[in-house]
Amino acid sequence: MRKIAVAMAKGGVGKTTTAVNLAHDLAMQGQRVLLVDCDTQDQVAKFLGVTPAYGLYEFITGRNAKGESILKKQAIHPARENLWILAGGINLVELKNWLGEQPRERRHALLSKSLVPKDNTLDFLIFDCAPGWDILSVNILMAVEEVLCPVALQAPAIEGLKTFFSYLISAQKLNGRLCLQYVLPTLFDTRTRQSAELYRKLKRLFTKQICHPIRYNVRLSEAPAGGRTIFEFDRRASGAQDYHKLTRRLIDDGVRSQQVPRFF
Ligand SMILES: Nc1ncnc2c1ncn2[C@@H]1O[C@H](COP(=O)(O)OP(=O)(O)OP(=O)(O)O)[C@@H](O)[C@H]1O
Ligand SMILES: [Mg+2]
């Protein structure tokens, strides 16, 4: 199972759009995906048009807001074929307080242990991270091996990248397996010189990690209003084509990395 955090400290760069569309496309390609919403804004469920009764808070603490016991499987909500979600929401504020009360080792092991199914039935565990940097972000980076970092092709986002990398380096000291696997340029406006220049700069900086950019596409911003992914809303939109390229890259990389041990 691959564990990927879609993360970037700056807000509004396309993290949720990426996490939701990628997760759905992976699921449509036959991969079994659990998408975890780590944001109090609770956008993942809205983007997918579902209303789960419980989410990440109940999954981790084992109880609901009334203090009643909850089974883990009650919190995992089927959103599409092959795609399950753990919803975010305002009670993640309380989860962060609760995490703060746990001893550090237990806290860091919590997400990594509890989210891995014992029967090995998942192919991808994807976290949609909140903007900013808090105790939950740190815990997610303790639970994953790969980071997919969406970067909006606008000057302030590049600045945000520097700050975010200093966070990643500090997280790598605690989780040696953590690596920045993908840098995904988003909101690529093909008409502006600024977008093209920033894309070129990113390509130079991240020769291995750079992904095919996601173009600015108004259909991507319209799809969530109806609770649909871009593949359900408008398959022919440039947003669908661009996100499908990202899906193919992730699947192809997975095949490659599985092949490596056979060589040795
Ligand atoms: N490629 C795109 N083209 C046009 N609009 C986009 C694109 N990607 C995202 N958007 C829109 O930009 C806004 C921000 O996107 P999104 O919510 O995915 O960002 P985010 O990084 O998750 O934000 P936050 O940090 O607040 O969680 C949304 O309205 C979304 O529909
Ligand atoms: Mg978001």
Side-chain angles (χ1 to χ4, degrees), residues 21 25 214-215 217 219-220 229-247:
N21 287 302
D25 199 15
I214 309 295
R215 284 166 282 180
N217 177 215
R219 306 296 271 164
L220 279 170
T229 68
I230 193 66
F231 303 101
E232 295 160 330
F233 184 65
D234 186 352
R235 275 201 150 269
R236 286 171 307 170
S238 66
Q241 294 164 14
D242 293 345
Y243 275 114
H244 188 60
K245 285 200 174 108
L246 179 66
T247 306

Side-chain angles (χ1 to χ4, degrees), residues 29-195:
Q29 309 308 313
Q31 306 289 318
R32 292 166 64 88
V33 185
L34 174 61
L35 174 57
V36 184
D37 187 350
C38 303
D39 198 339
T40 52
Q41 297 176 90
D42 201 13
Q43 294 279 56
V44 166
K46 289 179 200 138
F47 272 42
L48 286 165
V50 293
T51 45
Y54 303 120
L56 183 59
Y57 170 83
E58 289 82 3
F59 184 91
I60 297 288
T61 62
R63 57 187 164 83
N64 66 12
K66 292 182 199 157
E68 296 158 346
S69 296
I70 292 294
L71 295 174
K72 284 192 187 304
K73 64 178 178 194
Q74 286 178 273
I76 295 181
H77 188 88
R80 300 289 189 274
E81 192 180 353
N82 289 334
L83 173 61
W84 293 264
I85 67 165
L86 266 175
I90 197 66
N91 57 11
L92 292 186
V93 173
E94 210 180 304
L95 178 67
K96 290 177 207 179
N97 295 337
W98 185 84
L99 281 171
E101 290 159 9
Q102 311 303 310
R104 192 164 117 166
E105 285 72 35
R106 177 172 148 71
R107 191 164 76 213
H108 284 172
L110 250 172
L111 286 183
S112 54
K113 291 226 172 89
S114 63
L115 284 163
V116 179
K118 290 187 181 61
D119 51 1
N120 206 15
T121 46
L122 279 181
D123 299 302
F124 284 89
L125 178 57
I126 298 180
F127 294 88
D128 175 25
C129 297
W133 186 255
D134 58 21
I135 192 165
L136 190 51
S137 320
V138 177
N139 274 264
I140 294 160
L141 294 182
M142 295 305 112
V144 301
E145 279 142 25
E146 303 174 55
V147 177
L148 186 163
C149 179
V151 183
L153 293 173
Q154 299 154 351
I158 300 269
E159 281 161 26
L161 200 60
K162 286 183 198 153
T163 319
F164 183 61
F165 284 166
S166 62
Y167 295 151
L168 273 190
I169 290 164
S170 59
Q172 273 171 333
K173 287 181 189 145
L174 298 165
N175 175 6
R177 289 163 307 157
L178 184 69
C179 88
L180 175 68
Q181 193 77 352
Y182 301 107
V183 171
L184 177 70
T186 58
L187 297 161
F188 183 25
D189 185 346
T190 47
R191 296 161 308 178
T192 70
R193 199 186 290 175
Q194 187 195 41
S195 262

Side-chain angles (χ1 to χ4, degrees), residues 151 158-159 161-162 165 180 183 197-210:
V151 183
I158 300 269
E159 281 161 26
L161 200 60
K162 286 183 198 153
F165 284 166
L180 175 68
V183 171
E197 270 169 18
L198 289 171
Y199 178 40
R200 261 199 303 277
K201 197 169 174 185
L202 279 182
K203 269 203 282 193
R204 269 203 310 274
L205 285 170
F206 303 101
T207 43
K208 274 198 200 143
Q209 295 95 335
I210 196 82

